C-alpha cells in the first residue's frame, strides 16, 4: 500500500548533506589556494638558501633562524619545503596539462572515427593498463633514468589512458544523437562537429577527472622521487625530502613529518575539490 505523502518520513535536516559537501569543498579550495600562493611568492618567503649545505648546523632544532630546523646537510627545512612546493606543484600541473592535451584528441578521434584507429588506440590502452599505473611508472622511469624530465614522461605515459577512455565513451554516446546526425546531413565537416558539438560535452567530465587526478599524480611524483627516480640532489622536492629524512625517522621524525603532511594536505584538498565538482556537475561515472 502506498504511504500518503504527508505520512512519509522526511529527513530532519534536508540541506545538511548539501551544506556539508559545500563546506568541505570550500575547505579544499582554501587549502589549495594557500599552496598555490606559497608556490608563487615562495622565493620571497624563504629565510635561508634551500640549496646551501651547512654541516655546522646539521640536524639543528627549530629556531628563529631555522623555523623547522635543519636536515642532515644543515639546510633549512622550512625553505626547502616552500621551494619544494614549486617543484611538486609545477611538475604536477605540467603532467596534467600534457595528459589532457594527449587524451582529449585521442578520445575524440577514437570515438568519432572508430574503425582501425579506434581499435589501435584501445588495444594500446589495454596493453598499457596490463600493469598497475605505479608499477609501470617505476619501470619506465627506471628505464629512462632518474631525472625530473624522465619522471614527467613516465607519468604522462601511464595517465593518458583514463582521459582517452572517458572522452571516447562520451563521444560514442553523443555521435548517435539527433543533433549530430542533423549536422552530418547538413554537410557539417568532421572537424567542426568535433570542435563545436562534441568538445563542449566533454569539458565537465574532463575537468572533474583532472581535479581528482591531481592528487594521484602528486602521489606518483612524490613516490618516484622518494625512490630516487625523480628529483635529484640538491633539488628540493617533497618526495625526495621524505627519502632524506628516512634514516633519521626514529630519532628526528619531523624530518619526514613536514613533507609528509604537506603531501597529505595537498592531495586531500585536491580530492575534496574534485568530489565537490563531481557532485555539483552531477557526474557519477568518474
Amino acid at each position: 500500500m502506498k504511504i500518503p505523502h504527508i505520512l512519509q518520513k522526511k529527513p530532519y535536516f534536508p540541506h545538511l548533506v548539501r551544506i556539508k559537501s559545500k563546506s568541505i569543498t570550500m575547505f579544499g579550495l582554501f587549502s589549495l589556494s594557500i599552496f598555490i600562493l606559497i608556490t608563487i611568492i615562495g622565493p620571497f618567503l624563504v629565510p635561508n638558501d634551500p640549496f646551501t649545505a651547512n654541516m655546522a648546523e646539521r640536524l639543528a632544532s627549530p629556531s628563529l633562524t631555522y623555523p623547522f630546523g635543519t636536515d642532515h646537510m644543515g639546510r633549512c627545512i622550512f625553505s626547502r619545503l616552500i621551494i619544494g612546493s614549486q617543484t611538486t606543484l609545477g611538475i604536477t600541473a605540467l603532467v596534467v596539462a600534457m595528459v589532457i592535451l594527449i587524451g582529449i584528441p585521442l578520445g575524440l578521434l577514437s570515438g568519432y572515427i572508430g574503425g582501425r584507429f579506434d581499435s589501435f588506440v584501445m588495444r594500446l590502452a589495454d596493453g598499457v593498463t596490463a600493469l598497475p599505473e605505479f608499477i609501470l611508472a617505476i619501470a619506465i622511469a627506471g628505464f629512462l633514468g632518474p631525472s625530473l624530465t624522465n619522471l614527467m614522461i613516465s607519468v604522462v605515459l601511464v595517465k593518458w589512458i583514463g582521459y582517452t577512455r572517458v572522452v571516447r565513451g562520451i563521444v560514442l554516446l553523443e555521435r548517435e544523437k539527433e543533433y549530430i546526425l542533423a549536422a552530418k546531413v547538413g554537410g557539417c565537416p568532421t572537424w567542426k562537429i568535433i570542435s563545436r558539438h562534441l568538445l563542449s560535452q566533454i569539458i565537465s567530465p574532463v575537468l572533474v577527472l583532472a581535479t581528482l587526478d591531481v592528487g594521484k599524480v602528486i602521489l606518483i611524483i612524490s613516490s618516484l622521487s622518494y625512490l630516487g627516480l625523480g628529483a635529484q640532489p640538491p633539488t628540493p622536492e617533497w618526495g625526495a625530502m621524505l627519502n632524506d629524512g628516512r634514516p633519521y625517522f626514529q630519532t628526528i621524525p619531523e624530518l619526514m613529518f613536514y613533507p609528509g603532511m604537506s603531501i597529505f594536505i595537498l592531495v586531500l584538498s585536491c580530492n575534496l575539490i574534485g568530489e565537490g565538482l563531481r557532485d555539483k556537475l552531477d557526474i557519477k561515472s568518474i
Side-chain angles (χ1 to χ4, degrees):
M1 183 178 67
K2 186 176 181 180
I3 301 176
H5 177 72
I6 194 173
L7 298 180
Q8 291 180 3
K9 186 177 180 180
K10 297 181 179 180
Y12 292 106
F13 306 101
H15 302 295
L16 179 61
V17 175
R18 182 179 300 175
I19 295 173
K20 183 178 179 181
S21 176
K22 184 177 179 180
S23 300
I24 291 175
T25 304
M26 293 305 297
F27 170 78
L29 283 170
F30 176 75
S31 301
L32 182 60
S33 300
I34 292 178
F35 276 106
I36 294 175
L37 180 62
I38 291 175
T39 300
I40 295 174
I41 65 174
F44 304 100
L45 298 177
V46 292
N48 301 282
D49 187 349
F51 300 95
T52 302
N54 184 5
M55 298 304 293
E57 299 289 342
R58 181 175 180 268
L59 301 177
S61 301
S63 62
L64 293 177
T65 305
Y66 304 107
F68 289 170
T70 61
D71 62 6
H72 64 294
M73 298 292 291
R75 298 169 297 195
C76 178
I77 297 176
F78 180 75
S79 300
R80 290 181 65 79
L81 275 176
I82 293 178
I83 301 301
S85 67
Q86 296 180 330
T87 304
T88 302
L89 282 175
I91 293 176
T92 300
L94 287 174
V95 167
V96 173
M98 291 171 64
V99 166
I100 290 175
L101 292 176
I102 294 173
I104 288 181
L106 284 178
L108 286 170
L109 295 175
S110 179
Y112 188 79
I113 296 175
R116 293 182 178 179
F117 181 78
D118 180 42
S119 299
F120 172 76
V121 173
M122 288 300 99
R123 297 298 76 77
L124 180 62
D126 292 340
V128 175
T129 54
L131 292 174
E133 286 184 348
F134 183 63
I135 301 299
L136 186 58
I138 291 177
I140 296 174
F143 175 77
L144 296 177
S147 72
L148 287 176
T149 302
N150 293 338
L151 170 65
M152 291 175 55
I153 294 174
S154 64
V155 179
V156 169
L157 289 178
V158 301
K159 296 300 293 183
W160 64 272
I161 302 167
Y163 295 82
T164 299
R165 283 180 167 168
V166 167
V167 172
R168 175 181 177 269
I170 296 172
V171 173
L172 288 176
L173 292 175
E174 295 293 326
R175 72 177 185 179
E176 302 300 330
K177 292 185 178 180
E178 293 181 354
Y179 73 98
I180 298 294
L181 297 177
K184 290 182 179 179
V185 172
C188 187
T190 299
W191 67 268
K192 189 171 290 187
I193 293 177
I194 293 176
S195 60
R196 281 191 178 182
H197 302 293
L198 295 178
L199 191 60
S200 61
Q201 301 297 323
I202 67 172
I203 292 177
S204 295
V206 168
L207 177 61
V208 173
L209 178 59
T211 308
L212 291 171
D213 229 15
V214 168
K216 299 177 183 177
V217 172
I218 292 172
L219 288 177
I220 293 177
I221 290 173
S222 300
S223 300
L224 292 178
S225 294
Y226 176 81
L227 296 174
L229 296 174
Q232 300 299 303
T235 303
E237 197 277 332
W238 291 345
M241 292 178 67
L242 279 173
N243 188 36
D244 291 340
R246 179 175 49 83
Y248 309 95
F249 177 70
Q250 294 183 343
T251 55
I252 311 178
E254 54 266 28
L255 293 180
M256 298 188 70
F257 174 79
Y258 295 129
M261 282 302 299
S262 299
I263 294 171
F264 172 77
I265 296 174
L266 181 57
V267 171
L268 178 63
S269 301
C270 295
N271 288 343
L272 292 178
I273 295 172
E275 292 291 342
L277 282 176
R278 181 166 61 181
D279 295 338
K280 181 70 175 178
L281 299 174
D282 195 26
I283 297 174
K284 304 302 180 184
S285 60
I286 296 179

